[in-house]
Amino acid sequence: MKNSPKNITFHYTDERMVRDLLAITPIKKGESVLDAGSGKNKVWFNNLSGEKYECEIEDGCDFYLWNAKIDWVIGNPPYHQSWKFTEQALKIAEKGIAWLVNNQALNSHLTPARLDKMKNLGFYLNKIHVVADKRWFGRYYYLIFTKETNNFLSW
């Protein structure tokens, strides 16, 4: 029995969703933004304006090797590497980090030890926006971390 090729568009974030999520992300005009894993369709990168950059391992730009400071790091990290992506983003982001994650990635970010690590680096979870895509199983969460605390989350 021959396996049929996977439909890779299944994994891509819908462009309308990306536009809606970017609209609630407090990126100010003139701030630099890095799409941490732009993928083949570059949907996040293509919907950014202003000073924008991208990393995509398949294009020869490894996010884990990025060392320039940037105002914002955004995107839809590979779920099995979402915390590792966050650790890298914490090293380079000056103002904020915004990720679209699944429930396992959400769970991995909300441990007291990891929240303490982010707090010690000056980042706080400021918004959780719940989204759904009928192509994907379950709910997804857009997490926005900034250097401003609103104390809505405690541990």
Side-chain angles (χ1 to χ4, degrees), residues 64-123:
Y64 296 125
L65 300 178
W66 184 280
N67 60 10
K69 294 292 184 181
I70 199 90
D71 292 320
W72 280 85
V73 180
I74 58 94
N76 185 353
Y79 297 134
H80 65 287
Q81 294 182 34
S82 64
W83 177 249
K84 190 174 175 184
F85 261 60
T86 299
E87 288 182 305
Q88 173 62 12
L90 289 166
K91 295 175 189 173
I92 61 173
E94 296 282 322
K95 304 220 173 157
I97 302 164
W99 297 139
L100 180 62
V101 300
N102 68 3
N103 60 343
Q104 288 92 0
L106 173 69
N107 223 15
S108 80
H109 279 74
L110 298 184
T111 69
R114 289 178 175 176
L115 290 166
D116 277 339
K117 180 173 186 166
M118 287 184 274
K119 179 181 177 182
N120 291 337
L121 293 169
F123 282 93

Side-chain angles (χ1 to χ4, degrees), residues 4 10 12 19 21-22 26 33-34 44 49 57-58 65 77 80 110 116 119-120 122 137 139-140 144 150 154:
S4 59
F10 173 84
Y12 291 145
R19 285 193 308 265
L21 294 175
L22 288 172
V33 184
L34 172 65
W44 291 82
S49 58
I57 192 77
E58 292 184 17
L65 300 178
H80 65 287
L110 298 184
D116 277 339
K119 179 181 177 182
N120 291 337
F137 175 76
R139 291 322 115 231
Y140 289 78
I144 300 175
N150 63 13
S154 61

